[in-house]
Amino acid sequence: MNDSYTPPLDDLRFVLDDVLHYRRLFALPAFAHADKELADAVLAESARFAAGVLAPVNASGDEEGSRLENSRVVTPRGFRDAYWRYVEAGWPGLDMPQEFGGQSLPLTLQAACAEMVNGACVAFGMLPLMERAATRLLLAHAPKTLVDAIAPSLAAGKWGATICISEAQAGSDVGRIATRAERQADGSYRLTGTKIFITYGDQDFTEQIIHMVLARIPCAPAGTRGLSLFVVPRCELREDGTLGADNNVEVTRVEHKMGLRASPTCVVNFDGARGELVGQENAGLKAMFTMVNTMRLEVAMQGVAVAGAATAKALRYALERPQGGRADAPPVALVEHADVRRMLHVMRARTEAMRALVLEAALQLDLAHAGPEAQRADALALAEWLLPVCKACGSDAGFEVANLAVQVFGGLGYVADAGVEQYVRDSRVMSIYEGANGIQALDLVTRKLPQDSGKRYRLFAARIRADLDRFASRPELREIRDAVADGLSRLDACTDAIAPSAASRDAEAGASAYLALVGLVAGGWMWLRMAAVATDDRPAHEAKRGLARFYADYLLPEALTLQRRALVGAACLDTLAAETLAGAR
């Protein structure tokens, strides 16, 4: 049971085709070389690959884990073979530019495929994600010579990549990074320092690994303004493109983790390693965010992927497991019990709302890149608003739904054989890495909300209002429409109260609740749109309409609590001195 995976192919197609109408992307010049028929074939093949190749190594990879031998990482059995099957099938380059060997397909399609990759084995999905993110960073900021030397191999998956930010004294507080970069006579740099929590900091899949490293040059300004970005290969690159000697990059530890055990999380030491500057000196953090934002979208999809996989297993178990009922009759299936149904409804409603929202964000990024020129700025602004919401709410949903799956399974869920406790362990880190969810909330409230006089929020709210108006004459949508309208009015009130003092401590105290309220209302917006197109008598459409009503009746009332929390201010948090709060005597 624990190595099975059911790809949500029908649900993905429902969102892509019926809700988002993503076929319109193929009418744009950037994607005109493809069509919806090709995209459908890609989705189907991705489902087969995820279920047939990746799912079988998930549980065994978790049990075996990655380990360090002679300063090199050894990954679990089956992972190297699965990786090269992934590479040979062309999956790493799905949304990468054709001039670098990619297929230039929409990010929306790649995100849908990413759900199935991560749903089958999220520990596997971490490496190709970083390769794609590093390629995008290089294309946006690196000189052509560096792009030509590295990007094709990254886009094809022939080389690995990492993002090297955290240090022992500088986790989320990146302004305290101390890794040094000394400029050399030939224009290169020598980097010295130690980075921690580096995902796939080493592996035995690829002969080369490209580390994207934040470091500080001599006399750089303090804080984040003094950080520069460097490409540091594990093996030196010769002028002819071949690989040279080891580049003084050493892995000194592989962390023993709660989850994602097959994905090696490393301590990486740079001891005079040769690197090349990307972009301008002291402008590294801004460049790095090109990579980070790519990763945050997929972390959101990781949460959806785990939630979807856990939900599928819990639904199947609840249908098959007889338990309880009248003493004088045969036991009934778990699904007949009201509280079990409550959990299953929550699981499906949260998962499917977030799936639609993450794909909506991906669609907006596609339109920002390739849509009509007049629409690109608004599409980018809406995507920028949705990204922190997707990352935080998607990762939270993954953990919440995985926990509910364990509860549905009962005692068996606590045992590894059922294959759901791993979802809890694997998803826990998603709210921490690629920007902790509290930081996502601060980004939303202190940066995204006030920027451009609130343009991003206005675009978001206007899209919801347009759909509320569009469906006003459809009585079958009244419950979900009225609930979304109420949630939006509460969110408007919160926004009006917070925006004038978005940088204050009171706004900071309410930021997480504010982000959760945005995510809750956005999920309702997705369910309104899903219910509006689920119009026939098929069981699948009946389920969509029923889940929309459940979201309206059971989940959207949370808006009242979140509104009050968002506006409560910092006074209730600052009542106790730090020592008193900690219990000091």
Side-chain angles (χ1 to χ4, degrees):
M1 180 186 292
N2 62 357
D3 64 354
S4 64
Y5 173 64
T6 304
L9 199 52
D10 290 342
D11 287 325
L12 283 167
R13 284 176 169 155
F14 172 75
V15 174
L16 291 170
D17 296 342
D18 300 338
V19 180
L20 301 182
H21 305 291
Y22 90 127
R23 64 179 66 84
R24 59 190 154 134
L25 292 176
F26 301 108
L28 301 173
F31 305 123
H33 60 284
D35 55 31
K36 185 179 176 300
E37 288 68 31
L38 173 64
D40 284 344
V42 168
L43 281 173
E45 185 55 37
S46 180
R48 284 192 291 270
F49 189 91
V53 177
L54 300 181
V57 302
N58 185 46
S60 60
D62 175 69
E63 184 176 357
E64 182 179 346
S66 289
R67 64 189 186 277
L68 192 63
E69 291 186 2
N70 301 318
S71 299
R72 293 304 308 274
V73 166
V74 178
T75 55
R77 285 165 293 184
F79 266 63
R80 179 182 171 86
D81 176 66
Y83 179 79
W84 282 106
R85 291 175 68 178
Y86 183 87
V87 169
E88 289 161 4
W91 292 112
L94 201 64
D95 66 325
M96 294 289 99
Q98 288 178 307
E99 57 264 40
F100 297 106
Q103 299 162 53
S104 292
L105 291 171
L107 176 62
T108 310
L109 178 60
Q110 193 282 328
C113 293
E115 177 180 351
M116 294 184 280
V117 168
N118 288 290
C121 184
V122 68
F124 175 92
M126 295 294 293
L127 180 57
L129 162 60
M130 287 185 295
E131 293 163 357
R132 293 176 46 253
T135 304
R136 289 189 178 277
L137 186 154
L138 291 171
L139 294 177
H141 300 287
K144 187 177 186 303
T145 52
L146 203 56
V147 170
D148 291 344
I150 297 175
S153 294
L154 281 182
K158 294 178 180 177
W159 292 352
T162 73
I163 178 171
C164 295
I165 299 178
S166 296
E167 299 178 11
Q169 79 292 343
S172 298
D173 189 5
V174 296
R176 299 187 189 277
I177 283 174
T179 295
R180 305 187 312 278
E182 301 276 351
R183 187 178 174 89
Q184 306 298 297
D186 63 358
S188 67
Y189 293 75
R190 293 286 177 178
L191 277 75
T192 302
T194 300
K195 297 290 185 176
I196 64 172
F197 301 146
I198 308 306
T199 300
Y200 278 96
D202 189 36
Q203 32 80 4
D204 52 7
F205 305 161
T206 65
E207 59 182 353
Q208 177 68 294
I209 300 172
I210 301 298
H211 300 287
M212 311 300 296
V213 186
L214 281 179
R216 196 177 296 279
I217 62 174
C219 301
T224 58
R225 294 182 301 162
L227 296 176
S228 300
L229 178 62
F230 301 88
V231 164
V232 183
R234 190 184 74 81
C235 299
E236 292 194 6
L237 284 173
R238 300 190 182 100
E239 289 187 8
D240 63 0
T242 59
L243 303 187
D246 285 351
N247 189 24
N248 298 318
V249 179
E250 182 184 17
V251 172
T252 59
R253 177 180 171 84
V254 172
E255 302 294 352
H256 299 277
K257 299 175 295 180
M258 175 180 178
L260 295 181
R261 293 171 176 170
S263 168
T265 299
C266 305
V267 176
V268 181
N269 187 56
F270 300 92
D271 187 11
R274 181 186 175 94
E276 299 290 340
L277 181 68
V278 176
Q280 301 297 313
E281 288 185 345
N282 303 325
L285 190 61
K286 182 178 180 181
M288 181 66 92
F289 267 96
T290 303
M291 188 172 186
V292 168
N293 284 338
T294 299
M295 298 180 76
R296 285 179 178 173
L297 179 73
E298 190 145 337
V299 171
M301 190 53 90
Q302 287 177 354
V304 172
V306 169
T311 298
K313 286 190 176 181
L315 286 166
R316 188 163 59 246
Y317 183 74
L319 286 168
E320 297 171 352
R321 169 67 166 164
Q323 189 87 155
R326 290 172 46 190
D328 59 350
V332 299
L334 272 177
V335 74
E336 298 300 330
H337 297 285
D339 194 57
V340 174
R341 287 201 173 201
R342 173 191 63 82
M343 291 187 285
L344 295 172
H345 274 75
V346 170
M347 293 167 76
R348 281 201 63 177
R350 295 274 198 218
T351 300
E352 295 186 35
M354 284 311 306
R355 175 184 291 126
L357 190 64
V358 175
L359 291 172
E360 171 70 39
L363 178 71
Q364 293 304 317
L365 288 169
D366 276 327
L367 293 172
H369 163 67
E373 195 68 40
Q375 299 175 16
R376 292 186 183 185
D378 283 356
L380 180 60
L382 181 56
E384 288 173 342
W385 176 261
L386 291 176
L387 271 173
V389 178
C390 287
K391 193 278 177 182
C393 296
S395 57
D396 283 347
F399 186 63
E400 176 191 7
V401 171
N403 268 297
L404 286 172
V406 171
Q407 194 72 19
V408 170
F409 273 79
L412 183 60
Y414 197 67
V415 176
D417 290 351
V420 289
E421 58 84 32
Q422 184 185 344
Y423 294 138
V424 178
R425 293 186 288 103
D426 284 352
S427 63
R428 183 59 188 89
V429 73
M430 294 172 189
S431 63
I432 299 172
Y433 62 18
E434 309 316 330
N437 285 0
I439 293 174
Q440 303 300 315
L442 291 177
D443 175 53
L444 188 73
V445 167
T446 65
R447 295 180 60 196
K448 299 295 192 309
L449 180 58
Q451 279 177 348
D452 301 320
S453 302
K455 172 184 177 179
R456 288 162 181 79
Y457 177 76
R458 291 199 310 273
L459 285 169
F460 169 72
R463 283 284 307 274
I464 299 176
R465 286 194 183 89
D467 283 333
L468 290 171
D469 292 343
R470 184 156 60 103
F471 302 130
S473 62
R474 293 181 54 179
E476 76 277 16
L477 300 177
R478 180 180 56 80
E479 286 176 273
I480 182 63
R481 184 190 173 281
D482 288 353
V484 172
D486 176 74
L488 182 60
S489 97
R490 294 183 185 281
L491 181 56
D492 283 339
C494 272
T495 302
D496 290 344
I498 290 173
S501 56
S504 69
R505 187 166 173 81
D506 282 342
E508 179 183 347
S512 288
Y514 180 82
L515 182 146
L517 179 56
V518 174
L520 180 69
V521 173
W525 175 37
M526 294 299 108
W527 271 116
L528 173 63
R529 293 166 66 183
M530 286 189 280
V533 296
T535 56
D536 63 33
D537 294 332
R538 283 181 289 162
H541 277 205
E542 182 183 354
K544 301 297 184 193
R545 296 192 297 270
L547 287 164
R549 289 191 295 272
F550 174 81
Y551 197 96
D553 293 342
Y554 193 90
L555 294 178
L556 270 168
E558 294 172 6
L560 173 60
T561 300
L562 292 172
Q563 178 187 16
R564 296 177 73 170
R565 287 177 178 168
L567 299 178
V568 73
C572 67
L573 307 180
D574 294 335
T575 302
L576 300 177
E579 295 79 7
T580 307
L581 178 65
R585 290 177 172 83

